[in-house]
């Protein structure tokens, strides 16, 4: 089946630093999503990308849909303590023009921000 | 407030017992999903439903069952046939107007001993 490789697995940074993480796949996805999960809670949608090459921002977060459609990147600028959590990428393939919305998830990047 | 609710937050059961996890949404979303999350892993799809009275198996459906009698509700039953049921279970929903954006509930942590 399809798999997403997310890296790095974990990051330890100082408050104020910028953060970059990425997600790669051996197969093409037509949609990329980025979620953040706080401990013991459900993931929250951060950014959705629908077009190859698309660059989308949400506050201090910026995500890009890779040109090859096999990867996506998430950047967080000027990190703050509340950025702590697990960040997941998710990809979707729309088969035959229809989609039941099935997402394939990466393993997650655990972000720790030291004040 | 619109959203997805899952209850209870924590659930404890003895091995061999079936248990049903609740998922309710008032977002008027057509599609609903159940995922399982284990430590250090991504989310894995158990079952999904695109419309009322219809549901399909996901990647890890064995040992689970669902029903979709109402648009707002998509309960998941973890049966005694599920060999490793202890996990964090997440319910999600998606509008028919959106191709991909799923919104998640707060999750239920199930512990079976």
């Amino acid at each position: 089946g399809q798999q997403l490789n997310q890296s790095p697995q974990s990051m330890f940074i100082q408050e104020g630093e910028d953060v970059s993480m990425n997600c790669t796949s051996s197969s093409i996805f037509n949609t990329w999503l980025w979620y953040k999960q706080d401990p013991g809670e459900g993931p929250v949608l951060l950014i959705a990308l629908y077009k190859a090459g698309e660059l989308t921002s949400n506050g201090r977060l910026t995500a890009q849909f890779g040109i090859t459609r096999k990867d996506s990147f998430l950047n967080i600028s000027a990190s703050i303590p509340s950025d702590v959590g697990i960040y997941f990428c998710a990809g979707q393939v729309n088969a035959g023009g229809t989609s039941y919305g099935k997402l394939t998830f990466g393993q997650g990047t655990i972000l720790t921000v030291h004040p | 407030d619109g959203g997805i609710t899952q209850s209870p937050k924590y659930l404890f059961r003895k091995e061999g017992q079936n248990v049903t996890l609740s998922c309710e949404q008032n977002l008027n979303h057509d599609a609903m999903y159940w995922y399982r999350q284990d430590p250090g892993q991504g989310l894995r799809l158990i079952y999904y439903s695109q419309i009322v009275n219809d549901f399909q198996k996901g990647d890890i459906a064995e040992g689970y069952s669902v029903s979709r009698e109402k648009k707002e509700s998509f309960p998941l039953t973890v049966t005694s046939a599920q060999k490793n049921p202890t996990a964090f279970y997440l319910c999600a929903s998606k509008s028919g107007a959106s191709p991909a954006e799923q919104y998640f509930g707060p999750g239920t942590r199930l512990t079976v001993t």
Side-chain angles (χ1 to χ4, degrees):
Chain A
Q2 296 159 331
Q3 289 188 331
L4 294 182
N5 296 310
Q6 194 170 342
S7 64
Q9 289 188 334
S10 61
M11 303 181 73
F12 299 84
I13 63 170
Q14 292 293 130
E15 183 176 358
E17 290 183 356
D18 296 343
V19 172
S20 292
M21 60 190 78
N22 69 78
C23 209
T24 60
S25 171
S26 58
S27 54
I28 288 173
F29 286 92
N30 294 318
T31 301
W32 287 94
L33 305 174
W34 285 92
Y35 288 87
K36 182 196 176 196
Q37 184 179 31
D38 290 330
E41 299 296 329
V44 173
L45 181 63
L46 300 174
I47 293 177
L49 302 160
Y50 291 100
K51 187 176 177 183
E54 179 181 357
L55 187 71
T56 298
S57 293
N58 178 7
R60 293 178 296 105
L61 279 62
T62 301
Q64 184 162 23
F65 192 143
I67 287 290
T68 65
R69 294 194 285 162
K70 293 183 178 181
D71 55 14
S72 180
F73 308 87
L74 177 70
N75 296 315
I76 305 172
S77 63
S79 59
I80 58 178
S82 62
D83 289 334
V84 165
I86 305 176
Y87 291 80
F88 288 100
C89 62
Q92 184 192 54
V93 177
N94 298 336
T98 62
S99 168
Y100 56 81
K102 181 183 177 183
L103 298 177
T104 300
F105 283 84
Q107 309 96 312
T109 293
I110 301 171
L111 179 62
T112 303
V113 180
H114 294 288
Chain B
D1 282 334
I4 303 172
T5 57
Q6 292 185 243
S7 60
K9 182 67 174 176
Y10 300 94
L11 195 52
F12 299 88
R13 281 293 184 271
K14 293 290 187 184
E15 194 173 323
Q17 294 179 333
N18 291 355
V19 58
T20 297
L21 281 60
S22 167
C23 177
E24 303 278 333
Q25 55 99 0
N26 60 5
L27 299 167
N28 199 31
H29 284 177
D30 296 307
M32 297 186 74
Y33 309 82
W34 273 106
Y35 292 90
R36 172 187 171 128
Q37 185 177 28
D38 295 286
Q41 297 191 32
L43 282 63
R44 292 184 291 168
L45 182 65
I46 304 173
Y47 267 98
Y48 65 96
S49 168
Q50 299 182 78
I51 57 172
V52 174
N53 293 323
D54 184 65
F55 49 84
Q56 305 294 331
K57 293 182 179 180
D59 299 320
I60 56 166
E62 184 175 351
Y64 300 98
S65 66
V66 294
S67 64
R68 186 87 186 275
E69 297 176 1
K70 298 187 299 182
K71 187 175 185 177
E72 309 79 44
S73 179
F74 191 40
L76 173 74
T77 297
V78 184
T79 74
S80 56
Q82 167 51 233
K83 298 197 183 314
N84 187 16
T86 295
F88 190 48
Y89 290 89
L90 288 158
C91 178
S93 70
K94 182 181 77 67
S95 166
S98 168
E101 296 170 29
Q102 294 182 21
Y103 295 88
F104 285 85
T108 292
R109 184 165 299 281
L110 172 65
T111 302
V112 177
T113 57

